[in-house]
Amino acid sequence: MHARVSSYEFPPERADELMRTFDEDRSLEAIPGIVEAFALLDRAAGRALSITLWETEAALRASEEEANRIRARATAPAGGRVSRVDRYEVALHERFAGDRSATA
């Protein structure tokens, strides 16, 4: 599995607008090889990260142009910008089910 991690900067007061444009754009889910997508938001600082997971490195690479368009469509209305895009091999991917908190 492979991941693309993109960093964004935007005016903090426009955080909701940025997240709404990402949420409303359903084109990502139609790209072959996509597994999961996450958006992480630091509202106060005007920063966000998106993490997309891909079945293979080939799928990640094949999605580059469409991913560029999606990022541009999402950031422009909120006055934001893409500050960085990185690609990684996923070395560990675990899911934990249920409530793992300790009870007294």
Side-chain angles (χ1 to χ4, degrees), residues 5-90:
V5 180
S6 303
S7 302
Y8 309 88
E9 296 175 1
F10 54 91
E13 68 276 6
R14 299 189 68 187
D16 289 334
E17 190 175 353
L18 178 76
M19 288 298 102
R20 186 173 42 257
T21 58
F22 269 114
D23 187 46
E24 290 173 354
D25 188 338
R26 307 315 304 169
S27 57
L28 184 63
E29 64 191 278
I31 301 175
I34 185 83
V35 175
E36 291 183 85
F38 301 89
L40 309 174
L41 179 64
D42 183 338
R43 208 175 272 283
R47 294 186 319 225
L49 294 173
S50 65
I51 303 169
T52 53
L53 300 181
W54 301 86
E55 292 174 348
T56 64
E57 183 178 11
L60 180 145
R61 297 290 177 189
S63 71
E64 292 288 348
E65 287 184 31
E66 182 60 18
N68 289 338
R69 286 190 287 273
I70 292 168
R71 286 190 296 271
R73 283 194 307 262
T75 54
R81 71 179 190 89
V82 178
S83 55
R84 185 175 176 136
V85 178
D86 295 300
R87 293 143 197 90
Y88 299 92
E89 177 183 351
V90 176

